Amino acid sequence: KAGVTQTPRYLIKTRGQQVTLSCSPISGHRSVSWYQQTPGQGLQFLFEYFSETQRNKGNFPGRFSGRQFSNSRSEMNVSTLELGDSALYLCASSLWLAGGPKSGANVLTFGAGSRLTVL
Amino acid sequence: AQKITQTQPGMFVQEKEAVTLDCTYDTSDPSYGLFWYKQPSSGEMIFLIYQGSYDQQNATEGRYSLNFQKARKSANLVISASQLGDSAMYFCAMRAGDYKLSFGAGTTVTVRA
């Protein structure tokens, strides 16, 4: 069973550019979440999508956006990149069974991440 | 608001010994889930164990067990018989009223031969 696939794994951009990261969830998983990980701020929630709808959003500026396609694949975009956007961006997918987000059945499975460096 | 606290930035453990990683949490939601993840240097987050707030028994998964003390809002992870491959960053996380997973700052574990 294939895991969560994130592309690209590594990328380098310069300030002011934009970047698009892709995430393919585990087959059958309909929920996709994105997290940013930095040494200073740790792991921070960006947003979560289910059936092409954004259900929850973290406290990030509007430069950070995302979307989910009908096949559950998701992309996130960061426009007008800043040095502080350098981070590991992690995507996670989960089933959506009865019991909701607190159920153990809805454990998040993470991808290997996309490491973004902004110069 | 939900908060996860991991007070141990780093720990050293001898191979084959047990190690306990501390985690305390705060939430006003009576229903929540607690999770532990392992992050090796490769970066991928690996799910280890889950504990629901209404679960009567402590969760166990192989060499991992969760010492859940609800009244103290504590969910410590115990790794028994440590192996060199256990060297990694360990995160405690919680999901409560919303859909997001809130993480603690993490604890780096280094297993010595």
Side-chain angles (χ1 to χ4, degrees):
Chain A
K1 183 176 180 182
V4 178
T5 304
Q6 290 189 246
T7 56
R9 289 292 315 279
Y10 302 92
L11 64 165
I12 300 174
K13 293 285 187 178
T14 56
R15 279 181 299 175
Q17 287 187 310
Q18 74 165 13
V19 66
T20 299
L21 308 178
S22 178
C23 173
S24 293
I26 291 173
S27 178
H29 284 196
R30 298 168 63 190
S31 170
V32 174
S33 304
W34 288 89
Y35 291 80
Q36 181 198 64
Q37 185 177 23
T38 60
Q41 299 297 317
L43 281 150
Q44 293 186 287
F45 172 77
L46 281 157
F47 22 66
E48 192 251 355
Y49 289 89
F50 179 79
S51 292
E52 302 177 65
T53 301
Q54 186 182 88
R55 289 201 295 198
N56 202 358
K57 189 177 188 302
N59 190 25
F60 278 82
R63 300 184 297 107
F64 292 81
S65 63
R67 60 177 175 169
Q68 187 180 32
F69 302 95
S70 58
N71 62 358
S72 293
R73 190 177 70 85
S74 177
E75 288 181 348
M76 68 162 282
N77 184 77
V78 188
S79 61
T80 319
L81 284 166
E82 300 176 359
L83 296 179
D85 297 333
S86 293
L88 179 65
Y89 290 88
L90 291 162
C91 168
S93 73
S94 69
L95 292 167
W96 198 254
L97 303 176
K102 293 160 276 191
S103 167
N106 293 310
V107 169
L108 267 63
T109 301
F110 284 82
S114 292
R115 188 168 295 280
L116 170 66
T117 301
V118 182
L119 301 176
Chain B
Q2 302 143 29
K3 187 176 181 182
I4 300 285
T5 303
Q6 294 179 256
T7 58
Q8 307 153 309
M11 297 185 71
F12 290 94
V13 60
Q14 206 64 31
E15 195 177 10
K16 299 181 184 178
E17 292 186 348
V19 61
T20 298
L21 308 184
D22 295 340
C23 172
T24 58
Y25 60 91
D26 189 28
T27 180
S28 56
D29 194 327
S31 178
Y32 50 88
L34 295 159
F35 304 78
W36 277 92
Y37 283 86
K38 170 185 177 181
Q39 187 178 41
S41 56
S42 60
E44 185 171 354
M45 299 283 281
I46 301 167
F47 167 71
L48 297 177
I49 196 167
Y50 162 82
Q51 179 85 44
S53 58
Y54 294 121
D55 293 344
Q56 294 297 310
Q57 293 189 328
N58 287 343
T60 59
E61 287 286 348
R63 295 186 298 109
Y64 304 107
S65 60
L66 201 152
N67 184 4
F68 181 47
Q69 297 186 49
K70 193 171 181 177
R72 298 180 62 184
K73 293 190 174 180
S74 167
N76 298 340
L77 176 71
V78 179
I79 305 174
S80 62
S82 296
Q83 302 171 355
L84 295 177
D86 293 335
S87 293
M89 190 86 156
Y90 290 80
F91 290 95
C92 179
M94 177 173 66
R95 245 177 166 181
D98 56 21
Y99 298 103
K100 69 178 183 180
L101 200 59
S102 297
F103 287 88
T107 297
T108 300
V109 172
T110 303
V111 181
R112 290 170 164 161

